Amino acid sequence: MELSNLNIKNGLCISLGANIDSKFGKPIETLTKCRPEIEETIKNWICDFESKETTSSPNIQFYWSSIYVTSPHGISEPQPNYLNSLLLIKSLSLLNPSSEKAKYLLKTFKSIEKEYGRNIIQNNKKWLSRCLDIDILWWENFNIQDSFITLPHPRFMNRNFIITPLAEILNKFQKVDKLIEKSWQT
């Protein structure tokens, strides 16, 4: 699906999920603790690459969804429910999308997952319980597909744990846009 059909422009969308305890506590504590780390990671990532591209300082807005409880998806063995949240990042200076920048950010997120206690290699199985899962869902209309990263995420439109928080964020974002428009008109 074309992301522009979802009224998403100049955005980077990240999903977070957890359904087992991390080194920092229960899934709710994990998601709450890692939010500021994710924001700082994004700011540093933009600043690192921007210094090479421009001299202006980034204007970044973070739109977090609520945390939703969802059933595990695509599993054959019982698992605890997940806690999921989405982050939409908007910025006038969100960098020009590239494979190098997307892979760098994803590697950073994988390091954060490991810091929280996620064991990435577990018999090469998909959809195992996770103490923290961070995915890049899309970055504007940038497309890439290789063995390390696929953007946009190929299945995000079929996952309620993405669609429900996304609807919440887009609603918030559209309200902010309308307020800005009104302030310009007066």
Side-chain angles (χ1 to χ4, degrees), residues 12 85 109 119:
L12 171 68
S85 185
F109 288 157
N119 181 2

Side-chain angles (χ1 to χ4, degrees), residues 46-169:
I46 290 174
C47 288
D48 286 349
F49 280 101
E50 265 197 347
S51 64
K52 298 172 188 172
E53 296 179 7
T54 181
T55 58
S56 63
S57 62
N59 176 12
I60 308 166
Q61 292 141 352
F62 296 98
Y63 297 91
W64 284 98
S65 74
S66 301
I67 295 175
Y68 290 84
V69 178
T70 60
S71 300
H73 183 82
I75 61 160
S76 58
E77 298 172 13
Q79 290 183 15
N81 284 336
Y82 272 85
L83 297 184
N84 296 96
S85 185
L86 240 59
L87 170 61
L88 182 62
I89 301 106
K90 296 281 192 166
S91 176
L92 295 175
S93 58
L94 195 54
L95 307 171
N96 296 315
S98 76
S99 172
E100 175 194 10
K101 295 169 192 170
K103 288 177 180 181
Y104 179 87
L105 184 60
L106 186 59
K107 284 178 187 173
T108 304
F109 288 157
K110 296 306 166 198
S111 293
I112 293 170
E113 290 176 354
K114 189 174 179 180
E115 173 191 331
Y116 276 72
R118 181 167 177 194
N119 181 2
I120 304 289
I121 302 170
Q122 291 180 334
N123 300 328
N124 238 356
K125 290 185 180 179
K126 287 186 171 189
W127 300 307
L128 294 174
S129 292
R130 296 175 175 138
C131 63
L132 182 59
D133 185 30
I134 307 169
D135 286 318
I136 303 171
L137 299 178
W138 70 81
W139 182 9
E140 296 181 352
N141 279 323
F142 181 61
N143 289 286
I144 181 174
Q145 183 172 3
D146 67 24
S147 61
F148 185 70
I149 189 170
T150 300
L151 293 178
H153 192 287
R155 295 171 302 280
F156 85 88
M157 291 300 299
N158 301 328
R159 305 283 168 83
N160 284 337
F161 62 87
I162 302 295
I163 299 304
T164 302
L166 177 59
E168 176 193 346
I169 289 174

Side-chain angles (χ1 to χ4, degrees), residues 16-36 64-69 80-85 116 130-132:
L16 289 84
N19 73 337
I20 57 174
D21 294 353
S22 74
K23 290 180 4 183
F24 300 103
K26 298 193 177 304
I28 188 71
E29 296 163 327
T30 298
L31 293 182
T32 303
K33 179 180 178 359
C34 78
R35 280 182 170 199
W64 284 98
S65 74
S66 301
I67 295 175
Y68 290 84
V69 178
N81 284 336
Y82 272 85
L83 297 184
N84 296 96
S85 185
Y116 276 72
R130 296 175 175 138
C131 63
L132 182 59

